[in-house]
């Protein structure tokens, strides 16, 4: 059958997060029928900003997602300091073709959602997947409805339900022993503070303060430099030193009381209700696919936030899948193509997972010397990669 006569694949995606939405857009571009099932109603989207490094900016453009139209800020550089505020190194996360961006997670999500809707992907909200049968490629919703497809994609995040159908041994992400406070402060509030105003600068910059106890503070702006995004990563065991009857904000301030005074003034600008995230990790899975079921994003390779690559790697997965399941793919060819997808992606995703793990490994009492050599090597390996082109090469050299 000529490829133009082959009917499109009928694809079901579980989860409409960053990876699921990107996969929906990319697979619709190949002409496939795409239905997304998302358990939430998107009415209480939370989360602060995320960094989009050069390896994903170009991919988003090719998916028709212009993040600059959604308030993304172009990075003017990265500064890495000791916790006392001494500059350790500066870096530029820019390649010849793209610069790093900062974007509010909700803005990225809505940009992807608009692209998916424009591509006529079907998005079903408040649709919790309760069971899944890889053999019949069917899912059962909480409503009892059973839906079948040619291809099932599990894009259901860190605490994936679909993962158990691929790997029973490592199906649950485990606590990493660290947590992060995470919040935004309006930039005019930063500018009005006598000590913190040094962080209200015109050029969007990412700053990291690291210490030997495993604490790390990260800041960068978002929403056209109108808000400052702040993360305070820390080992959970340090919390034992702090009385638990304090508010999360008081705990955060006490936890970081020996950091540079300007940084402390910045943390003091947080609202009382600072949100806290526990970090989870999972060893590399032996595979991400079984028959016509595949995992992508955090479901396949949960990523700690130390490499700022979780969303990016999910989008690289999505693009790779769409190239390998290009228009004209026969349902019978899908299992081989999904194996090819795993082969094309897993080493890179595992490398990023391991880099993030190493960056986040420091525990109290450990001597952690910031290693700019390791960062620069990581940037070189990760930022100039073209996942789209790589998938095309993999397909060209495959027998299927
Ligand atoms: C503190 C922190 C900072 C981060 N910073 C960055 C950064 O700077 N840059 C970066 O690239 N990444 C960053 N990340 C990582 C990034 O957020 C994740 O890697 C990314 O969101 C993964 O996308 P995903 O689509 O795989 O999963 P998710 O975005 O988690 O989406 C999964 C979706 O599946 C849905 N779902 C789950 N179960 C079901 C079910 N049974 N039925 C139906 N739907 C279901 C969920 O509701 C959710 O919408 C950070 C993460 C954290 C925690």
């Amino acid at each position: 059958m000529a490829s133009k006569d082959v009917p499109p694949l009928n694809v079901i995606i579980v989860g409409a997060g960053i990876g699921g939405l990107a996969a929906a857009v990319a697979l619709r571009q190949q002409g496939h029928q795409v239905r997304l099932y998302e358990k939430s109603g998107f009415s209480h989207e939370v989360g602060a900003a995320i960094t989009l490094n050069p390896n994903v900016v170009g991919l988003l453009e090719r998916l028709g997602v212009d993040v600059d139209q959604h308030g993304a800020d172009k990075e003017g550089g990265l500064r890495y300091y000791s916790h006392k505020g001494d500059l350790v190194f500066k870096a530029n996360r820019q390649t010849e073709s793209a610069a790093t961006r900062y974007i509010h997670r909700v803005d990225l999500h809505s940009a992807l959602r608009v692209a998916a809707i424009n591509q006529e992907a079907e998005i079903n909200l408040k649709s919790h997947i309760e069971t899944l049968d890889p053999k019949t490629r069917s899912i059962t919703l909480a409503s009892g409805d059973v839906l079948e497809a040619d291809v099932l994609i599990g894009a259901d995040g860190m605490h994936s339900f679909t993962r158990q159908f691929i790997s029973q041994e490592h199906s649950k992400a485990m606590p990493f022993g660290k947590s992060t406070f995470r919040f935004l402060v309006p930039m005019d509030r930063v500018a009005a503070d006598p000590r913190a105003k040094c962080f209200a600068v015109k050029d969007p910059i990412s700053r990291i303060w690291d210490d030997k106890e495993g604490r790390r503070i990260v800041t960068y702006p978002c929403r056209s430099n109108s808000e400052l995004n702040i993360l305070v990563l820390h080992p959970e065991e340090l919390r034992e030193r702090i009385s638990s009857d304090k508010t999360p904000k008081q705990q955060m301030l006490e936890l970081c009381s020996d950091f540079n005074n300007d940084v402390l003034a910045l943390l003091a600008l947080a609202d009382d209700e600072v949100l806290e995230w526990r970090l989870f990790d999972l060893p590399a899975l032996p595979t991400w696919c079984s028959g016509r079921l595949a995992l992508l994003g955090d479901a396949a390779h949960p990523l700690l936030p130390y490499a700022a690559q979780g969303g990016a790697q999910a989008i690289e997965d999505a693009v790779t899948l769409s190239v390998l399941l290009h228009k004209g793919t026969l349902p019978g060819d899908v299992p081989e193509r999904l194996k090819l997808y795993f082969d094309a992606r897993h080493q890179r995703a595992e490398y990023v997972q391991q880099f993030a793990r190493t960056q986040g490994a420091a525990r109290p009492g450990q001597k952690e010397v910031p290693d700019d050599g390791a960062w620069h090597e990581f940037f070189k390996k990760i930022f100039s990669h073209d996942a789209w082109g790589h998938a095309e090469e993999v397909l060209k050299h495959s027998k299927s």
Side-chain angles (χ1 to χ4, degrees):
M1 202 187 306
S3 74
K4 67 177 171 39
D5 301 325
V6 175
L9 294 168
N10 178 351
V11 184
I12 284 183
I13 301 176
V14 182
I18 295 171
L21 284 167
V25 177
L27 288 161
R28 279 296 303 140
Q29 285 185 347
Q30 298 290 347
H32 300 307
Q33 288 168 10
V34 178
R35 286 174 288 168
L36 278 144
Y37 292 90
E38 164 58 47
K39 69 176 176 186
S40 77
F42 287 156
S43 50
H44 303 291
E45 287 178 86
V46 287
I50 73 168
T51 302
L52 296 173
N53 282 307
N55 54 310
V56 72
V57 173
L59 296 182
L60 285 167
E61 270 171 29
R62 286 182 75 168
L63 292 177
V65 178
D66 181 355
V67 288
D68 294 340
Q69 295 211 334
H70 292 263
D73 291 273
K74 205 178 271 187
E75 177 171 88
L78 168 74
R79 310 267 188 279
Y80 196 111
Y81 306 91
S82 73
H83 76 295
K84 288 291 182 200
D86 302 316
L87 184 67
V88 179
F89 69 86
K90 286 183 185 184
N92 193 336
R93 291 186 287 186
Q94 198 164 353
T95 60
E96 272 176 23
S97 53
T100 289
R101 304 290 204 283
Y102 314 127
I103 187 166
H104 196 291
R105 179 179 293 268
V106 170
D107 298 341
L108 173 62
H109 204 256
S110 75
L112 284 166
R113 206 163 4 140
V114 167
I117 291 166
N118 287 343
Q119 291 278 351
E120 298 180 1
E122 182 186 310
I123 305 180
N124 300 280
L125 301 181
K126 296 188 180 164
S127 300
H128 193 287
I129 307 301
E130 297 235 300
T131 58
L132 184 153
D133 185 346
K135 286 206 181 82
T136 56
R137 299 172 308 283
S138 62
I139 55 166
T140 306
L141 299 176
S143 62
D145 290 347
V146 180
L147 306 157
E148 287 178 16
D150 296 320
V151 189
L152 289 181
I153 296 174
D156 49 348
M158 176 76 73
H159 303 292
S160 167
F161 166 77
T162 48
R163 190 185 294 134
Q164 63 187 298
F165 299 97
I166 306 261
S167 165
Q168 285 184 346
E169 194 191 345
H170 295 300
S171 68
K172 277 196 167 46
M174 301 304 283
F176 183 62
K178 289 201 173 179
S179 286
T180 181
F181 294 104
R182 198 179 189 201
F183 56 98
L184 293 161
V185 181
M187 202 60 93
D188 49 10
R189 201 190 295 170
V190 178
D193 184 272
R195 286 212 80 116
K197 68 179 179 198
C198 55
F199 302 118
V201 293
K202 213 167 117 244
D203 260 356
I205 288 176
S206 194
R207 300 174 199 264
I208 299 177
W209 293 268
D210 231 351
D211 90 323
K212 292 175 187 164
E213 298 268 69
R215 294 168 298 176
R216 175 177 288 187
I217 298 177
V218 183
T219 69
Y220 50 88
C222 65
R223 291 198 159 147
S224 308
N225 211 8
S226 67
E227 298 187 55
L228 196 60
N229 177 62
I230 302 171
L231 284 152
V232 180
L233 299 137
H234 57 277
E236 286 167 356
E237 61 217 86
L238 286 181
R239 303 287 282 277
E240 288 160 14
R241 298 181 194 168
I242 299 165
S243 72
S244 55
D245 56 1
K246 296 194 167 156
T247 65
K249 177 177 169 179
Q250 287 166 336
Q251 290 186 30
M252 175 179 78
L253 288 170
E254 199 174 323
L255 200 65
C256 300
S257 57
D258 56 336
F259 272 66
N260 171 282
N261 282 334
D262 295 344
V263 179
L264 279 178
L266 187 59
L267 299 189
L269 299 178
D271 289 333
D272 283 336
E273 293 313 311
V274 180
L275 291 177
E276 194 180 351
W277 262 259
R278 263 195 121 179
L279 304 187
F280 288 82
D281 193 18
L282 184 79
L285 298 180
T287 180
W288 302 345
C289 55
S290 167
R292 291 196 230 159
L293 167 66
L295 302 175
L296 68 73
D298 277 2
H301 44 75
L303 264 156
L304 293 161
Y306 293 89
Q309 277 286 325
Q313 292 302 309
I315 293 168
E316 287 194 4
D317 291 345
V319 161
T320 305
L321 262 179
S322 76
V323 171
L324 297 176
L325 297 179
H326 59 79
K327 196 180 211 140
T329 300
L330 294 164
D333 290 340
V334 171
E336 274 310 308
R337 294 293 170 80
L338 295 186
K339 279 191 200 146
L340 220 48
Y341 155 67
F342 174 69
D343 291 345
R345 290 285 308 139
H346 79 100
Q347 279 174 343
R348 181 169 162 83
E350 283 162 27
Y351 169 74
V352 178
Q353 268 185 312
Q354 190 49 39
F355 178 82
R357 220 172 263 138
T358 309
Q359 282 292 315
R363 291 288 189 275
Q366 285 184 354
K367 191 168 162 52
E368 186 185 14
V369 183
D371 177 3
D372 62 327
W375 279 79
H376 282 106
E377 195 191 320
F378 177 76
F379 293 167
K380 221 164 91 191
K381 260 198 164 135
I382 293 302
F383 291 172
S384 45
H385 181 75
D386 168 17
W388 206 302
H390 178 63
E392 284 170 347
E393 280 300 304
V394 167
L395 185 63
K396 206 164 85 188
H397 292 107
S398 77
K399 293 189 196 103
S400 61

